[in-house]
């Protein structure tokens, strides 16, 4: 039983299966856990921002890297979850169920939209390029819609949608009188990221995950083994939308606001870039890329750098041209080859 | 005794633009048969398989598997009636290990569980005959061509079908490898597996077949035993390209 | 009398919407039909066309029609360079091609912002307008409808009667056989990508007077252009572009008139989802099937 679980966690669906890897992994997790002790609350909060984007990136890896379905519009589910949480929690301030209702409502709303959308594209068996296009259109329309909701008439209960200025004053999650912010919010994000990573790794090493990978490798062959690949793709799409929603829910906790630009074209590009630069077929590589690129982006835009988008675009083009499997993954492969060779030389 | 068929096509038609790929095709396969379908290039052999499996839909006509009308069923649902297919071009999962290739098919998807034990024995038989190790961690793309063909047959058998459609299994194989394939397919057939093979190679057809169907320009040209078919002048002409 | 005017106005709206969708999608669908590649930098190529026309018109004093032609060639040349340097490495890898052209679009959008600033002085809409029964009709839009129709005829001529057209159709049908028969498929790809880019530039220039000229103006074309292409499909470039823009305009026009432009666009997305549920390969594939069936009936 125990060994089965260990096999699910440690199986070959992601890079890193050796003992050395897992020791390194645990050390890094401990370092992350110790990080807030050495820095100010402000910097811990910035780091929490990098962490909270990881589920969105993992959703991208799951969908594109492991299932072969590309979405350019997963930020739509990030946004839908964030806005829905804001509306529900904002209307139930003071009610002890308000926050949890907001979380559930946010997840349900984005699951519903993703489910309906995915039903249409997957059950129609459309060509693979149609899905990224339509997801992009969906998120652009969402941005346009939210952008024109300025003014008092766009009010749900007591919450204003706020047009391009966005929704403000979104309440933070709290348990009793304990509010997650600063250091505690950092730990909340860290735990959620760890849970998402381990759960996904288990899922992908399970039979379900192996079939998902088989669908990526050859959809027709897999279907001719009797698998309903439409249903599997649908489920994976919805699951990745849920991951995007988790990021959306954490985001509105972090800043207590959300704006339409979170579902705009530039934001939509980001998860695709994290997945490409890291290497979409590895969860861990996408996590690393998400952390580093968010840090770079945050630092650049904090300095008011106008080149941010040019840099991101160039990074994407260069990665696609020269590192088709992702920079992190190809580096890992290179290290693997290098250590193998030195092992061989040692034994000779 | 009621004359039941494990696979039946009734008046099946299919056209692509100006090309007629299936012209009023009637095909009946009894349980336990080992049938060869032959015909020159472009005769519509692979299209017929696609139509039977539902990868393409018929323009008109009906298809039955185990007496179930599957004409309007999705392809994965037809598989669940106990049909298995290998493709003309090898479609093993090239980047996955042999072990994982063999682990993807899932017998519990099929409706009928009657011949479970027999299917299991056939699977063992195929692995042994094709010299495949279900624990092998080698990536499929590192296998030689004939081994890949065998692997795909073994994968399909891992889904426990009772009807196997094989599209040109021995293309590109040496004589020895072809003979080995024939031998194993015969063993499987003796063990209760119904097999329909599309083949080009007359050596293969001669050494395997009980009954042969000749397709030409999308229609069934002739049906009979191997000796009659190979002796027939019209069939020779078709292969040499003289018939119209 | 009022009914007359309303009907006339609806027809006019229908025509302008169809022309807008057609012009937005044309360059995209030309490239898709040939190479199975969706060029996500399409909106930015249209933006470049608009900039080229504006600069030619405002700074070099070229008359507007000439400026439009200049922008066609300018963007076509840029497209050829793009194909040679980047896009050609991605044939056969549809999803990677989408991602790389998206990267290009980000660079082009922000790059334009850095070079030219947040906005450009607009081009005045050429021509005047008529009014009838309380509705007004712009001369320029009527001209655009006319240009759209002539583009359809021009493309038909190009694909039907030129040697490029013959080679392009051969490559579209089966690239490998075409190559074996001596068609220089690589050059056909470059030319087609360049043609598609040029048409995007041309459309951008033509639509420039009707919109604000800004670095991120390309984004407004993304939704209509891509929906038109998805609904049209890539089986036949011309029937896809025309069929889809006409059908979608018939959906958008009444809804847009009654409920406003945004809901008109939402209706487009919903319509696209429903249409692909029925016709997964788009209108052009369905039209092709109907024509095949008719031909089959004639031959039998």
């Amino acid at each position: 039983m125990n060994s089965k679980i260990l096999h699910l966690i440690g199986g070959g669906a992601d890079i890193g299966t050796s003992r050395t890897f897992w020791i390194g992994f645990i050390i890094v997790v401990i370092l992350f856990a110790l990080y807030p002790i050495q820095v100010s609350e402000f910097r811990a909060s910035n780091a929490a921002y990098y962490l909270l984007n990881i589920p969105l990136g993992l959703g991208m890896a799951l969908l594109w890297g492991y299932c072969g379905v590309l979405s350019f519009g997963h930020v739509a589910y990030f946004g839908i979850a964030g806005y829905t949480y804001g509306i529900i929690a904002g209307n139930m301030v003071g009610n002890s169920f308000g926050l949890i209702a907001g979380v559930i409502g946010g997840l349900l709303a984005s699951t519903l939209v993703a489910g309906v959308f995915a039903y249409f594209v997957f059950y129609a068996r459309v060509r693979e390029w149609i899905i990224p296009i339509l997801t992009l259109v969906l998120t652009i329309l969402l941005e346009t819609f939210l952008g024109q909701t300025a003014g008092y008439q766009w009010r749900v209960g007591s919450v204003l949608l706020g047009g391009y200025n966005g929704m403000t004053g979104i309440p933070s999650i709290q348990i009793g009188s304990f509010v997650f912010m600063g250091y505690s919010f950092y730990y909340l994000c860290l735990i959620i990221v760890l849970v998402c990573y381990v759960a996904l790794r288990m899922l992908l090493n399970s039979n379900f995950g192996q079939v998902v990978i088989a669908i990526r490798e050859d959809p027709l062959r897999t279907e001719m083994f009797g698998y309903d690949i439409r249903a599997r793709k649908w489920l994976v799409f919805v699951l990745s939308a849920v991951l995007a929603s988790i990021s959306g829910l954490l985001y509105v906790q972090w800043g207590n606001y959300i704006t339409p630009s979170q579902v705009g074209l530039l934001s939509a590009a980001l998860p695709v870039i994290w997945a490409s630069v890291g290497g979409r077929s590895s969860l861990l590589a996408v996590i690393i890329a998400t952390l580093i690129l968010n840090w770079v982006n945050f630092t650049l835009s904090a300095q008011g750098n106008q080149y941010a988008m040019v840099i991101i675009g160039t990074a994407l083009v260069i990665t696609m041209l020269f590192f088709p499997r992702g920079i992190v993954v190809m580096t890992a492969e290179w290290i693997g080859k290098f250590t193998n060779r030195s092992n061989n030389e040692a034994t000779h | 005794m009621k004359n039941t068929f494990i696979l039946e096509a009734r008046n099946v038609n299919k056209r692509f633009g100006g090309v007629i790929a299936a012209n009023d095709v009637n095909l009946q396969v009894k349980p336990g048969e080992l049938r060869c379908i032959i015909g020159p290039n472009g005769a519509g052999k692979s299209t017929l398989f696609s139509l039977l499996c539902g990868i393409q839909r018929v323009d008109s006509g009906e298809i039955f598997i185990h007496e179930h009308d599957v004409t309007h069923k999705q392809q994965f649902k037809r598989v669940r009636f106990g049909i298995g297919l290998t493709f003309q071009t090898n479609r093993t999962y090239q980047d996955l290990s042999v072990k994982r290739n063999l682990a993807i098919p899932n017998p519990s998807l099929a409706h009928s569980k009657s011949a479970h034990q027999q299917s299991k024995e056939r699977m063992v038989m195929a692995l042994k005959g094709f010299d495949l190790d279900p624990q092998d961690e080698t990536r499929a793309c590192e296998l030689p061509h004939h081994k890949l063909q065998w692997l795909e047959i073994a994968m399909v058998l891992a889904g426990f079908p009772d009807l196997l459609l094989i599209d040109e299994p021995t293309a590109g194989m040496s004589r020895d490898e072809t003979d080995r394939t024939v031998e194993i397919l015969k063993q499987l057939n003796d063990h209760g597996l119904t097999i329909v093979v599309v083949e080009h190679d007359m050596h293969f057809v001669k050494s395997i077949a009980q009954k042969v169907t000749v397709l030409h320009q999308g229609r069934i040209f002739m049906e009979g035993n191997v000796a009659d078919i190979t002796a027939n002048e019209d069939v020779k002409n078709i292969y040499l390209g003289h018939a119209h | 009398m009022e009914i007359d005017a309303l009907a006339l106005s609806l027809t006019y709206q229908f025509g302008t919407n169809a022309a807008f969708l057609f012009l937005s999608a044309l360059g995209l669908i030309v490239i898709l039909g040939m190479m199975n590649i969706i060029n996500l930098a399409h909106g930015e190529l249209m933006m470049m066309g608009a900039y080229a026309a504006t600069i030619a018109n405002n700074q070099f004093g070229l008359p507007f029609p000439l400026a439009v032609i200049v922008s066609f060639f300018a963007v076509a040349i840029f497209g050829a360079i793009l194909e040679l340097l980047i896009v050609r490495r991605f044939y056969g890898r549809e999803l990677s091609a989408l991602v790389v052209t998206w990267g290009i679009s980000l660079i082009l959008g922000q790059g334009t912002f850095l070079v030219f600033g947040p906005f450009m002085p607009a081009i005045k809409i050429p021509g005047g307008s008529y009014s009838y029964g309380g509705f007004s009709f712009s001369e320029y839009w009527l001209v655009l409808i006319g240009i759209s129709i002539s583009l359809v005829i021009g493309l038909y001529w190009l694909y039907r009667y030129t040697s490029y057209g013959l080679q392009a159709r051969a490559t579209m049908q089966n690239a490998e056989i075409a190559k074996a028969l001596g068609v220089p498929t690589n050059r056909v790809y470059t030319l087609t990508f360049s043609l598609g880019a040029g048409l995007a530039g041309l459309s951008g220039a033509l639509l420039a007077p009707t919109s604000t000229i800004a670095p991120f103006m390309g984004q407004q074309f993304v939704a209509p252009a891509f929906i038109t292409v998805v609904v049209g499909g890539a089986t036949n470039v011309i029937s896809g572009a025309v069929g889809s823009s006409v059908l979608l305009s018939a959906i958008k026009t009444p809804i847009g008139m009654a409920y406003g432009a945004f809901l008109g666009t939402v209706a487009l997305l919903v319509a696209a989802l429903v249409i692909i549920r029925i016709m997964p390969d788009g209108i052009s594939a369905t039209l092709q099937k109907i024509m095949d069936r008719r031909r089959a009936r004639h031959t039998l």
Side-chain angles (χ1 to χ4, degrees), chain B residues 206-221:
Chain B
K206 276 179 193 162
S207 50
I208 206 169
Q210 307 156 344
K211 192 172 174 186
V212 177
T213 301
V214 186
L215 268 182
H216 180 49
Q217 294 181 341
R219 58 164 73 234
I220 291 192
F221 185 78

Side-chain angles (χ1 to χ4, degrees), chain B residues 157-168:
Chain B
L157 290 176
F160 290 7
D162 39 32
L163 167 63
L164 179 63
L165 307 184
I166 320 185
D167 201 344
E168 299 202 18

Side-chain angles (χ1 to χ4, degrees), chain A residues 125 210-211 213-214 217-218 220-228 230, chain B residues 53 74-76 79-80 85 87 91 93 95 100 104 106 109 152 156:
Chain A
R125 296 175 180 274
Q210 295 298 310
V211 174
I213 292 169
E217 292 290 309
D218 190 337
L220 181 59
R221 179 64 274 180
T222 311
E223 180 157 17
M224 293 313 289
F225 287 133
Y227 291 104
D228 186 353
R230 305 168 308 174
Chain B
C53 292
Q74 298 272 346
Q75 55 247 46
F76 68 90
V79 173
R80 294 176 181 183
L85 170 78
F87 291 87
R91 290 185 91 142
Y93 304 109
D95 278 341
R100 280 174 59 189
I104 296 295
N106 183 355
L109 288 172
E152 194 175 358
V156 174

Side-chain angles (χ1 to χ4, degrees), chain C residues 92-107:
Chain C
R93 292 194 284 148
E94 293 170 28
L95 296 188
S96 301
L98 272 168
V99 174
V100 83
T101 51
W102 201 9
I104 295 170
S105 91
L106 293 177
I107 299 172

Side-chain angles (χ1 to χ4, degrees), chain A residues 50-65 74 78 200 240 243-244 247 270-276 279-280 282-283 285-287 289-290 294:
Chain A
Y50 315 146
L51 286 174
L52 70 84
N53 281 297
I54 287 175
L56 177 61
L58 286 175
M60 227 34 232
L62 171 69
L63 185 66
W64 181 25
H74 258 47
F78 179 104
L200 272 179
S240 65
L243 286 163
S247 283
L270 295 175
V272 177
I273 288 164
W274 305 333
S276 319
R280 58 184 180 274
S282 161
L283 299 171
V286 173
I287 291 181
T290 308
N294 267 298

Side-chain angles (χ1 to χ4, degrees), chain A residues 1 29 51 55 58 70 129 140 148 155 161 170 203 207 251 260 270 283 330 332:
Chain A
M1 185 64 207
V29 170
L51 286 174
L58 286 175
L70 178 54
W129 56 262
I140 288 175
Q148 47 102 53
R155 183 171 48 111
L161 291 181
I170 300 173
L203 180 79
N207 282 334
Y251 177 79
L270 295 175
L283 299 171
M330 286 171 88

Side-chain angles (χ1 to χ4, degrees), chain B residues 58-72:
Chain B
V58 298
D59 290 343
S60 64
E62 290 160 311
I63 290 162
F64 297 85
I65 299 172
H66 281 298
E67 313 268 281
H68 297 282
D69 185 351
V70 296
T71 316
H72 302 291

